[in-house]
Amino acid sequence: MIFQNHVLFDKNDCYSLRGVCMILIMCHHLYPNLMDLYPFHFPLDAILVDIGYLASGTFLFLSGYGLHKSLDKNEITKKYVISHIKKLILPFLFIFLIDMFRNIISGTFNITFTALNLVTLTFTNAGTLWFFKIIFCLYIILFILHKYISSAIARTIILWTITCSFVVIAINTDLQPCWWNSLLCFPLGYTISQYFIANKTVSVRYAILMGGVFVTCWIIMYLFHISPMTGLLFYFFKILIAMLFSIAAISIISKINITTKAGNFVGKNSLCFYLFHVFTLGLGFHIVWWQLVLLIFGITVALTFTYNTVEHLKDKLFDGN
């Protein structure tokens, strides 16, 4: 069934949307390899360039929304915090160890470099791993805020202040745009989560309107991008479009069915897919583009299944079953 009339933030819809976002992020990371072989032109080139940050923004939006819902109904105990930190850290440690053994076998292992990678949450040829680090830091910030600040309004103001300050600092220090252009989607999702009415639906007209507003603003941003006018207004549009895309995506998937088993699997294992595909890309394969796409996705899926199997066996061992 193509069309549906689900409530906003339906659990399965959100999992599938997270899955779609992660696949789009992977495609964005593969884009430079494809561009070398097949030069694209507007609007396809602009879509492939922007799709990564828009998907990241939607993922951050859903993370902010979901984390608030979880924090709001659970006591912030040591067990709760450790449980969520483990969900972030264990996939990283899994791929970090694989990377370390790869370096040992290849004779490139350096204990100082490896220790530095561990402390800074990265691994060989992984780039900045900005997405993972941003998610990790935002989770820590919210754990602290919910533990020590009782006022929901105060927590929200502080979160917006921290994230907006980071965006301003990042822009003025020429930090890579990926660090800031979708960041504010997280506090947006967090804020909406506080005031969202459960079981709310939206009309098809509203979903189409949100999509139209996003496309219009995106085209305006693109026009600014190719013109000399690329100052504060361009930065404003960049951030605004990420927010609009998140809201439009949530609205549209409540009307169009994108739920699949594959999408749910990727959505539930999205962090694994992110970390594992970055690791695989860092291996530096030099092959035909379609073989590269199949290899990256294939290895990522295989590593995800392996990680889940190890986690399952570990749980059974420690549970004594």
Side-chain angles (χ1 to χ4, degrees), residues 21 25 28-29 49-64 130-132 134-135 138 160 163-164 166-168 170-171 175-190 214 221 234-247 274:
C21 287
I25 290 170
H28 170 74
H29 288 162
V49 168
D50 286 338
I51 206 169
Y53 107 89
L54 294 175
S56 298
T58 304
F59 194 97
L60 287 168
F61 178 92
L62 291 171
S63 297
W130 72 270
F131 186 74
F132 174 63
I134 285 289
I135 289 284
L138 288 170
W160 276 101
T163 50
C164 288
F166 180 83
V167 168
V168 172
I171 291 174
L175 202 60
Q176 286 180 303
C178 59
W179 283 93
W180 56 264
N181 55 20
S182 60
L183 177 61
L184 296 186
C185 292
F186 185 89
L188 178 64
Y190 177 86
F214 157 73
M221 185 198 70
F234 172 73
Y235 295 139
F236 170 77
F237 267 107
K238 194 84 171 174
I239 294 168
L240 174 65
I241 287 168
M243 293 179 170
L244 285 174
F245 182 80
S246 302
I247 297 173
Y274 173 76

Side-chain angles (χ1 to χ4, degrees), residues 95 98-99 102 123 275-283 303:
I95 203 66
I98 292 177
D99 180 60
R102 180 178 71 90
F123 44 82
L275 292 170
F276 299 167
H277 96 272
V278 170
F279 167 78
T280 309
L281 278 171
L283 297 177
L303 286 171

Side-chain angles (χ1 to χ4, degrees), residues 59-85:
F59 194 97
L60 287 168
F61 178 92
L62 291 171
S63 297
Y65 180 90
L67 186 56
H68 173 265
K69 289 298 185 188
S70 176
L71 290 167
D72 198 42
K73 66 182 181 182
N74 289 285
E75 185 180 354
I76 314 304
T77 62
K78 182 179 179 180
K79 182 180 179 181
Y80 175 86
V81 173
I82 291 176
S83 171
H84 280 73
I85 294 297

Side-chain angles (χ1 to χ4, degrees), residues 30 33-34 37-38 280-281 285-300:
L30 283 163
N33 301 84
L34 301 179
L37 296 169
Y38 301 99
T280 309
L281 278 171
F285 295 107
H286 299 287
I287 53 179
V288 180
W289 73 268
W290 63 268
Q291 293 176 338
L292 178 65
V293 172
L294 290 176
L295 191 64
I296 296 300
F297 276 89
I299 293 177
T300 300

Side-chain angles (χ1 to χ4, degrees), residues 9-258:
F9 299 103
D10 175 81
K11 189 174 183 179
N12 286 328
D13 286 347
C14 288
Y15 274 133
S16 290
L17 182 57
R18 282 164 65 104
V20 169
C21 287
M22 193 49 59
I23 291 172
L24 292 177
I25 290 170
M26 294 173 69
C27 291
H28 170 74
H29 288 162
L30 283 163
Y31 166 70
N33 301 84
L34 301 179
M35 190 64 182
D36 290 339
L37 296 169
Y38 301 99
F40 299 105
H41 302 287
F42 182 81
L44 190 56
D45 63 332
I47 291 173
L48 289 171
V49 168
D50 286 338
I51 206 169
Y53 107 89
L54 294 175
S56 298
T58 304
F59 194 97
L60 287 168
F61 178 92
L62 291 171
S63 297
Y65 180 90
L67 186 56
H68 173 265
K69 289 298 185 188
S70 176
L71 290 167
D72 198 42
K73 66 182 181 182
N74 289 285
E75 185 180 354
I76 314 304
T77 62
K78 182 179 179 180
K79 182 180 179 181
Y80 175 86
V81 173
I82 291 176
S83 171
H84 280 73
I85 294 297
K86 281 171 61 178
K87 290 178 183 178
L88 295 174
I89 290 296
L90 289 182
F92 168 77
L93 291 178
F94 175 80
I95 203 66
F96 180 86
L97 290 174
I98 292 177
D99 180 60
M100 186 177 71
F101 285 124
R102 180 178 71 90
N103 290 333
I104 291 172
I105 294 171
S106 65
T108 59
F109 177 76
N110 181 293
I111 190 168
T112 303
F113 182 69
T114 302
L116 183 62
N117 279 346
L118 181 61
V119 171
T120 56
L121 297 178
T122 190
F123 44 82
T124 310
N125 299 325
T128 61
L129 273 189
W130 72 270
F131 186 74
F132 174 63
K133 293 174 183 176
I134 285 289
I135 289 284
F136 184 84
C137 290
L138 288 170
Y139 270 53
I140 296 298
I141 289 170
L142 281 187
F143 290 154
I144 294 172
L145 291 180
H146 276 259
K147 179 67 176 178
Y148 297 106
I149 298 179
S150 59
S151 169
I153 295 177
R155 290 195 299 259
T156 304
I157 292 173
I158 292 172
L159 179 62
W160 276 101
T161 301
I162 292 172
T163 50
C164 288
S165 298
F166 180 83
V167 168
V168 172
I169 293 170
I171 291 174
N172 284 281
T173 55
D174 293 325
L175 202 60
Q176 286 180 303
C178 59
W179 283 93
W180 56 264
N181 55 20
S182 60
L183 177 61
L184 296 186
C185 292
F186 185 89
L188 178 64
Y190 177 86
T191 304
I192 288 178
S193 178
Q194 297 179 60
Y195 303 104
F196 175 73
I197 301 173
N199 300 321
K200 181 177 177 59
T201 59
V202 296
S203 65
V204 174
R205 183 180 298 177
Y206 173 83
I208 294 173
L209 175 63
M210 289 308 305
V213 170
F214 157 73
V215 171
T216 302
C217 289
W218 176 75
I219 291 174
I220 292 172
M221 185 198 70
Y222 181 83
L223 294 175
F224 275 115
H225 184 65
I226 61 176
S227 72
M229 301 170 64
T230 56
L232 290 177
L233 191 58
F234 172 73
Y235 295 139
F236 170 77
F237 267 107
K238 194 84 171 174
I239 294 168
L240 174 65
I241 287 168
M243 293 179 170
L244 285 174
F245 182 80
S246 302
I247 297 173
I250 288 293
S251 303
I252 291 170
I253 66 164
S254 70
K255 299 300 176 186
I256 299 177
N257 184 12
I258 65 167

